[in-house]
Amino acid sequence: MKHFTVILLLGFAFLAISCGNGTEESMDYSQLSEEELMEIATDLAKNTIMVDGHVDLPYRMKVGGFTLQREILNVAERTEGGNFDFPRSKEGGLDAPFMSIYIPSRYQEMGGAKALADSLILMTERLTTTWPDKFGLAYGPDEIEENFEAGKISLPMGMENGAPIEDNLDNIRYFYERGIRYITLTHGKDNLIGDSSYDTTYTHGGLSEFGVEVVKEMNRVGIMVDISHVSDDTFYDVMEVSQVPVIASHSSARHFTPGFERNMGDEMIKKLAENDGVIMINFGGSFIDQDFREGNDAAREHIINWLAENELSRNDPEAQEYISAYVAENNPFPSVQRVADHFDHIVGLVGIDHLGFGSDFDGVGDTLPTGLKDVSMYPNLIAELLKRGYSKEDIEKFCYKNVFRVWKAVEDFAKASA
């Protein structure tokens, strides 16, 4: 009888996640075992389009010494290190990671921002020409759907830092034609567009006059405005200027990290939702948990001093062993449950229609939470969300429907403005 009950529960669960007529059987996932829940979550992840708003693979390739003149990093196979590659993406059900065309703030001062952006775009394109059976470019939701049906991983692109626009609005259309579909207006420092959450100079007091024109031109061209990294004043200026919904491609809820301006406060999240936008949750430990954030600063200082005293680098086996043990004992990582807490909090504020995944994989180093260490582990988060009462339709919204709604609204506005 016990065996029959388990089979019956799994049968109801399968019906709940595969029902195609828009309805969903009531299912209390909390009554299932962890193994049963993971089977359902994995099936859902692999059979639903999953978009991630921010994966830093292009810059990971650059830092690793890969260039257009050298052999490219073989992410078609399982890689040593990093958080993203094709096999792990397939295991986790990731179908459309936005490739971050990341431009460090120093390029604003030393020059070369546009050239760096071009090179990272070319490196991303090269992935799709080197392994055309595994990766495909995507310039909109339609291409993502086509690639999904073909079993390919889509590589849409977003530019992190508007510095490559330089002081020329024509570069916005240039980057649209190069495949860029969102631009994060600032990064670590204030730029020509506006003020950064990481800076303290408040150069413009929000968007600059030029920044206002940048947002308007992005609306006209059809590039999503990304407000991750901007200061609060810049955010509210964007909300006044933009005529279409905007995104936060990789931010989390400031409720859990008081004083961390890089995350979004409750009133900002409400304003974003009023604009019909989407916040895509960053998985980095310092973004999701205040205790880890504070402990990480102290642990980093200790490790730097220990490495210097012992004349070791982080790559030495002895150092890696020590660092792992020290962090585990003195600053344990938050868990996948903490990421789900951010979903709960934001749903409580603005409902189910304004959330997505924005992991920051390959961009937040070794701070990722237990259970979300790489792209193979999205089912762990989906299982936790199912356990908390979220439905199949809710999960589909988080995975792609919410961001597709914004993306299509931006596309429609641009077509009407042409």
Side-chain angles (χ1 to χ4, degrees):
M1 179 64 71
K2 181 179 179 181
H3 181 66
F4 175 77
T5 301
V6 170
I7 293 174
L8 185 62
L9 283 170
L10 285 172
F12 278 125
F14 178 79
L15 180 61
I17 66 172
S18 62
C19 183
N21 61 5
T23 63
E24 182 174 355
E25 295 287 337
S26 176
M27 184 66 201
D28 185 358
Y29 294 103
S30 66
Q31 298 303 307
L32 299 179
S33 70
E34 292 296 323
E35 181 179 343
E36 293 161 351
L37 195 60
M38 277 302 300
E39 183 176 347
I40 294 167
T42 300
D43 184 73
L44 180 53
K46 290 184 176 181
N47 290 286
T48 301
I49 293 173
M50 188 187 299
V51 177
D52 189 310
H54 196 89
V55 173
D56 272 296
L57 175 65
Y59 203 75
R60 171 186 161 199
M61 291 191 292
K62 174 180 168 54
V63 171
F66 296 92
T67 69
L68 294 173
Q69 289 74 42
R70 296 182 57 187
E71 182 181 1
I72 201 158
L73 178 65
N74 187 2
V75 289
E77 298 180 359
R78 196 175 299 270
T79 59
E80 288 292 330
N83 311 126
F84 171 87
D85 52 48
F86 183 84
R88 286 184 286 176
S89 291
K90 282 296 185 181
E91 290 170 13
L94 176 61
D95 303 294
F98 266 91
M99 294 286 98
S100 172
I101 306 304
Y102 164 52
I103 311 300
S105 298
R106 64 180 180 274
Y107 284 87
Q108 297 164 198
E109 301 167 356
M110 61 187 278
K114 185 171 180 289
L116 175 58
D118 281 330
S119 71
L120 296 178
I121 290 168
L122 287 169
M123 289 174 70
T124 302
E125 291 173 341
R126 188 173 170 188
L127 294 173
T128 68
T129 56
T130 304
W131 299 287
D133 59 324
K134 292 182 170 62
F135 300 108
L137 294 173
Y139 305 115
D142 289 347
E143 286 97 345
I144 291 176
E145 291 172 352
E146 291 169 6
N147 287 333
F148 178 74
E149 292 300 323
K152 297 181 183 181
I153 292 176
S154 294
L155 301 180
M157 291 182 285
M159 191 161 71
E160 187 178 23
N161 192 349
I165 296 170
E166 298 175 337
D167 59 354
N168 185 354
L169 291 176
D170 290 342
N171 281 332
I172 295 173
R173 182 162 295 279
Y174 170 82
F175 281 113
Y176 177 86
E177 292 172 353
R178 298 291 290 111
I180 296 298
R181 290 300 179 266
Y182 75 67
I183 296 176
T184 317
L185 299 179
T186 68
H187 193 256
K189 292 182 178 294
D190 301 350
N191 61 18
L192 294 179
I193 297 169
D195 295 344
S196 164
S197 62
Y198 283 139
D199 209 338
T200 57
T201 54
Y202 305 105
T203 304
H204 310 288
L207 279 177
S208 68
E209 292 183 9
F210 177 69
V212 170
E213 295 307 313
V214 166
V215 171
K216 290 179 178 179
E217 184 65 10
M218 288 173 67
N219 287 177
R220 283 192 291 267
V221 167
I223 296 180
M224 290 182 283
V225 177
D226 176 21
I227 53 78
S228 291
H229 281 286
V230 305
S231 70
D232 288 7
D233 289 338
T234 303
F235 166 80
Y236 283 111
D237 284 350
V238 169
M239 292 298 100
E240 292 297 318
V241 174
S242 181
Q243 299 181 69
V244 294
V246 308
I247 64 169
S249 68
H250 58 306
S251 297
S252 300
R254 197 181 299 172
H255 172 82
F256 297 95
T257 56
F260 184 35
E261 190 173 357
R262 172 65 179 79
N263 276 343
M264 295 187 71
D266 286 0
E267 294 306 312
M268 298 169 73
I269 293 168
K270 292 176 183 177
K271 189 72 173 177
L272 184 80
E274 289 174 11
N275 174 254
D276 207 26
V278 174
I279 173 174
M280 308 179 82
I281 300 301
N282 192 313
F283 298 168
S286 295
F287 287 79
I288 62 172
D289 189 271
Q290 182 72 9
D291 289 342
F292 179 82
R293 178 174 176 75
E294 294 173 356
N296 194 49
D297 292 340
R300 185 184 297 111
E301 182 177 358
H302 170 83
I303 289 166
I304 289 172
N305 291 333
W306 184 87
L307 290 171
E309 291 168 4
N310 290 274
E311 298 182 348
L312 294 171
S313 76
R314 283 181 174 271
N315 294 326
D316 292 320
E318 180 184 347
Q320 291 180 351
E321 182 178 352
Y322 177 83
I323 291 169
S324 295
Y326 182 85
V327 169
E329 181 177 351
N330 293 277
N331 191 39
F333 294 105
S335 70
V336 65
Q337 286 80 13
R338 194 52 153 175
V339 179
D341 290 343
H342 284 253
F343 281 81
D344 285 347
H345 178 73
I346 294 170
V347 168
L349 287 175
V350 297
I352 211 79
D353 296 321
H354 306 286
L355 276 154
F357 302 141
S359 64
D360 213 349
F361 280 139
D362 281 336
V364 288
D366 57 0
T367 71
L368 289 157
T370 302
L372 278 175
K373 294 295 187 183
D374 63 38
V375 294
S376 71
M377 298 185 181
Y378 292 96
N380 292 336
L381 177 55
I382 292 175
E384 180 64 26
L385 293 171
L386 289 172
K387 188 189 302 183
R388 295 186 182 204
Y390 293 96
S391 68
K392 169 183 176 284
E393 176 65 22
D394 296 335
I395 301 299
E396 288 176 343
K397 288 184 176 184
F398 298 155
C399 285
Y400 76 101
K401 288 183 176 179
N402 288 340
V403 70
F404 271 20
R405 183 191 70 244
V406 173
W407 199 344
K408 289 176 180 178
V410 172
E411 288 182 334
D412 290 345
F413 183 88
K415 290 175 183 175
S417 302

